[in-house]
Amino acid sequence: MAEQQKNEILLIESQYFPPISFYKTLIEGEKVRFERMEHYQKVSFRNRCYIAGPNGMILLSVPLVKGKNQRTVIKDVRISNLEPWQQLHWKTLTSAYRRSPWFEYFEPELEMLYEKEFEYLLDWNMACFEFANRALGFAPHVEMTDTFEKDYNNDTTILDLRDKMVPGQVPENPVEYTQVFGERTGFLPNLSILDLLFCEGKRGLELLK
């Protein structure tokens, strides 16, 4: 049974610095196939992530051309760079995590990422995913879909979690660790993988396992 799980491919939408539950699921199989032929869905992790602040969770949201109500194939969804959203997100991250044990270790490369302009949301999400993988010391096998399939019920090698991980959902047995503002806010489960990286560094991979 364990071997069967190892061969599963996690099928999921691309996400902006995904939540910890995404990585916990991925590590079980180490293979991921990102859905790039779906239509954009609002209120999802596709263009948002959550981090820890002194008063609780903070939402970071990537602005999109045509806003939230578009019906565009995800590979064609464009970021709206009319406002300095990357600068604002970086400022928020710096303010929230400057005191964390590992922020300065990851800061130079991450700051460069936030200084690079991206046209497409999928490209931005993949750049964030690649950064997080390097930071964790994790190298999953990555694929992209070429066509859209509504379901994969006949393919037992596919673990279809498209639109199954949504904001506000708390997974069972969340990964726990010491957070920057934990004494003030209590533990905040299933935040962006950035929270785990800044608080635990390379040890984050072992906690996920």
Side-chain angles (χ1 to χ4, degrees):
M1 187 66 178
E3 186 63 29
Q4 184 178 357
Q5 285 187 335
K6 199 71 176 176
N7 291 331
E8 283 185 346
I9 298 173
L10 171 60
L11 175 67
I12 198 166
E13 68 274 7
S14 72
Q15 302 176 355
Y16 172 27
F17 279 123
I20 292 168
S21 59
F22 168 96
Y23 277 90
K24 188 175 180 182
T25 303
L26 174 57
I27 280 174
E28 293 178 2
E30 299 185 358
K31 297 180 182 179
V32 61
R33 182 178 298 166
F34 286 110
E35 178 61 79
R36 64 174 186 146
M37 304 305 292
E38 62 171 355
H39 284 94
Y40 175 80
Q41 303 290 326
K42 60 183 180 179
V43 192
S44 71
F45 289 116
R46 289 171 180 83
N47 72 320
R48 64 177 63 193
C49 68
Y50 292 86
I51 63 171
N55 298 312
M57 290 195 303
I58 298 174
L59 167 65
L60 300 179
S61 179
V62 179
L64 305 176
V65 174
K66 296 184 181 179
K68 300 178 180 179
N69 298 319
Q70 57 183 300
R71 291 291 294 170
T72 306
V73 176
I74 195 68
K75 70 180 180 65
D76 298 325
V77 172
R78 285 182 164 84
I79 295 173
S80 175
N81 289 306
L82 296 178
E83 57 184 273
W85 67 272
Q86 286 172 296
Q87 181 180 339
L88 293 172
H89 286 200
W90 178 245
K91 183 178 179 180
T92 302
L93 286 169
T94 301
S95 176
Y97 292 106
R98 176 61 71 189
R99 299 188 320 170
S100 67
W102 286 85
F103 181 81
E104 290 186 359
Y105 181 83
F106 297 119
E107 180 179 8
E109 184 180 356
L110 190 58
E111 184 174 19
M112 288 176 61
L113 177 62
Y114 275 92
E115 289 176 346
K116 182 179 179 181
E117 186 172 303
F118 287 78
E119 181 178 0
Y120 292 97
L121 178 64
L122 181 60
D123 292 339
W124 166 251
N125 286 351
M126 292 309 299
C128 294
F129 180 64
E130 291 164 4
F131 167 84
N133 292 342
R134 288 193 300 273
L136 283 169
F138 179 53
H141 175 80
V142 179
E143 301 174 353
M144 291 279 186
T145 59
D146 293 318
T147 58
F148 179 78
E149 300 289 340
K150 186 175 181 179
D151 63 65
Y152 288 80
N153 293 337
N154 296 325
D155 191 340
T156 58
T157 67
I158 302 294
L159 178 60
D160 187 355
L161 291 184
R162 293 174 298 179
D163 290 316
K164 298 295 194 298
M165 295 183 182
V166 295
Q169 183 184 69
V170 179
E172 293 183 12
N173 303 316
V175 177
E176 292 195 27
Y177 51 96
T178 301
Q179 295 177 322
V180 179
F181 302 104
E183 292 185 359
R184 184 183 306 183
T185 64
F187 181 73
L188 302 175
N190 205 35
L191 297 180
S192 166
I193 191 64
L194 287 176
D195 189 74
L196 180 62
L197 282 170
F198 294 148
C199 294
E200 296 290 346
K202 298 290 184 179
R203 182 171 174 264
L205 184 60
E206 294 303 316
L207 291 173
L208 289 167
K209 292 179 177 179

